[in-house]
Amino acid sequence: MIYLELFFSFFQIGLFSIGGGYAAIPLIQHQVVDTHNWLTMTEFADIMTIAEMTPGPIAINSATFVGIQVAGLPGAIVSTIGCVFPSCVIVLTLAYIYYKFKELNMVKGVIAGLHPAVVAMIASAGISLIIMSLYGQRTIPEDLTQINFISLVIFGGTLAFLRKYKVNPIYAILGSGLAGIALYSVF
C-alpha cells in the first residue's frame, strides 16, 4: 500500500510541477509533510538541501530520497518512477503526434517558427553564463571595469583554442577548469 501511495504522490508532483524543480518544492512539501506525514518539516528541509546539492533534477532527487526514507530502496524506485512517468507519457504522446502529422504544412510551419526561438533561448543562456562568469552577477553592472580578468583570459583563450584547433569541447572544458584552478590559486 505504501508503494502505491508513494507512486501516486510523486505522480501528482511530476504531473503538476510545471516551471522546474523549485516550483515543485511546495507540491513535494504538501504531499510528503502535510498530507502523508512521511517526514517532519526538519527532515523535509534536510532532504531538499541534499536534493539541491545532488546532480540532477530536484524533484527526481527528492522523490528518490523520500522514497528511501519511507520504504527503502523499493520505495525510492517507485517514487522516482512515479515522478518521471507523467513526463515520459507527455513526451511520447507529443512524439507520436509529431511523427503522425509531421508532413502537414501547418506542423512544418510551427517547427520552422520554433527554430529561431530555440536558438534565441540557447543564446540567452550562453550570454547569461558569460555575464555571470565575467562579472559575478546575473546582470551587467553599471561599472564595466569590474570585470573578472582571469575569467576573461580563460574564456578568450579557450574560445581561440576551440576555433583554431577544433578540439573536442569536453577537453576545452577540462582545460578551462584546470586553468581556472591554476590561475585562481596563484592570483
Side-chain angles (χ1 to χ4, degrees), residues 77-149:
I77 293 168
V78 167
S79 299
T80 304
I81 290 171
C83 191
V84 172
F85 189 71
S87 299
C88 290
V89 170
I90 291 169
V91 168
L92 288 173
T93 303
L94 289 174
Y96 172 77
I97 291 169
Y98 171 72
Y99 280 111
K100 184 169 180 149
F101 299 108
K102 70 180 178 182
E103 296 303 320
L104 292 176
N105 286 332
M106 186 174 84
V107 173
K108 288 180 181 178
V110 168
I111 298 299
L114 288 175
H115 285 201
V118 170
V119 170
M121 291 172 65
I122 293 170
S124 173
I127 290 168
S128 296
L129 287 172
I130 290 170
I131 291 170
M132 180 66 99
S133 174
L134 297 179
Y135 294 104
Q137 58 190 42
R138 299 186 84 180
T139 58
I140 297 175
E142 290 179 19
D143 182 13
L144 295 178
T145 61
Q146 297 176 346
I147 194 165
N148 182 333
F149 287 104

Side-chain angles (χ1 to χ4, degrees), residues 14-33:
L15 186 61
F16 296 115
S17 61
I18 297 168
Y22 293 110
I25 292 174
L27 296 171
I28 298 168
Q29 177 186 344
H30 176 72
Q31 287 291 331
V32 172
V33 177

